Amino acid sequence: MSLYEGMFLIDNDLVREGWPSAKAVVTAALEKHGATIHTARRWDERALAYPIKGRRRATFLLTFFELDGQNHPELRRDLEINDHVLRYLITSVPALPETEAEAAQVESSEDFIVPPPPADDSGSYRPIQGVDSDNDDSDDDDDDLSLDDDDDDDGGRTRTVTSSRKKTAEAKESGGDKEAGGDKEAGGDKEAGGGAEPAAVSSDKEKSQ
């Protein structure tokens, strides 16, 4: 059997129900297909670069395990149909990192507590250009913006440019309507004036006759 490193992105809704049960979703799948798990620990909780299965944040589980190569296809199939596993990456490694066993041991202590994940829309979220999100059917104008809660320079510039384009378009439309309306009003007064003047002259001539 070969040694592998696996990084699994777990749905935060499941993590809020309890970290041990959330971690077990992955470890149980590995063991089901004959894997020998050396370590499995919470690596971090982060905002995603783009939505995955409708989620914008996830908890990362880092594992090192041994698995027979012929069991990979079935394992991958189970992971891909599991709604709680948003994404995963499995790579072959030569050996277990020296500090990994010690880092994973921390989760075995009684005082180990996983902080509740923040709301899904908190933190920074930056769509990657040219990458379609999974199950993200939103048609909002915000798809063209960098939805970063932090007031950084990039996010500010993106919003300003987009806003300026909208204002320019609105100004042009407003200006065009005003211009068109002005011509009509001016033209209408002119025609009315032109039509009234001959009538008055005609009336004067009739009186003089």
Side-chain angles (χ1 to χ4, degrees):
M1 293 196 294
S2 301
L3 180 65
Y4 297 93
E5 174 185 346
M7 183 68 79
F8 302 86
L9 279 62
I10 302 178
D11 188 344
N12 276 344
D13 283 349
L14 184 63
V15 175
R16 292 185 184 96
E17 295 176 9
W19 174 241
S21 59
K23 181 168 74 170
V25 167
V26 173
T27 56
L30 292 173
E31 291 172 345
K32 173 185 174 182
H33 296 286
T36 300
I37 301 173
H38 292 284
T39 62
R41 66 182 177 89
R42 178 184 180 275
W43 184 70
D44 202 359
E45 192 286 334
R46 294 187 176 185
L48 305 177
Y50 51 88
I52 301 176
K53 294 183 179 181
R55 304 298 188 211
R56 295 185 172 182
R57 300 189 68 93
T59 297
F60 292 65
L61 172 69
L62 177 63
T63 67
F64 286 88
F65 58 92
E66 289 183 68
L67 180 68
D68 193 329
Q70 65 181 8
N71 294 339
H72 269 239
E74 293 182 1
L75 170 63
R76 292 179 184 277
R77 185 175 64 233
D78 278 0
L79 292 173
E80 286 165 6
I81 63 175
N82 192 320
D83 291 335
H84 298 304
V85 179
L86 306 182
R87 190 65 55 86
Y88 67 90
L89 177 65
I90 297 174
T91 56
S92 177
V93 293
L96 182 71
E98 293 181 4
T99 59
E100 188 58 29
E102 184 179 349
Q105 192 65 28
V106 174
E107 291 196 14
S108 302
S109 61
E110 294 181 357
D111 58 346
F112 177 78
I113 298 176
V114 173
D120 195 57
D121 58 355
S122 66
S124 60
Y125 162 66
R126 294 178 178 278
I128 298 178
Q129 188 174 5
V131 177
D132 294 330
S133 60
D134 296 340
N135 300 330
D136 188 24
D137 301 326
S138 174
D139 293 326
D140 297 338
D141 293 338
D142 287 345
D143 287 345
D144 298 328
L145 299 178
S146 173
L147 305 182
D148 193 345
D149 291 344
D150 300 325
D151 295 329
D152 57 12
D153 293 335
D154 292 337
R157 280 199 296 271
T158 304
R159 291 180 183 274
T160 303
V161 170
T162 306
S163 178
S164 299
R165 286 177 181 171
K166 287 184 178 178
K167 288 181 179 178
T168 304
E170 290 173 0
K172 284 184 179 179
E173 288 179 7
S174 175
D177 293 342
K178 193 172 181 183
E179 215 173 304
D183 290 344
K184 285 180 181 177
E185 289 176 11
D189 292 343
K190 222 171 182 180
E191 287 175 13
E197 190 173 348
V201 172
S202 174
S203 177
D204 291 339
K205 283 183 180 179
E206 286 175 3
K207 286 181 181 179
S208 63
Q209 287 176 355

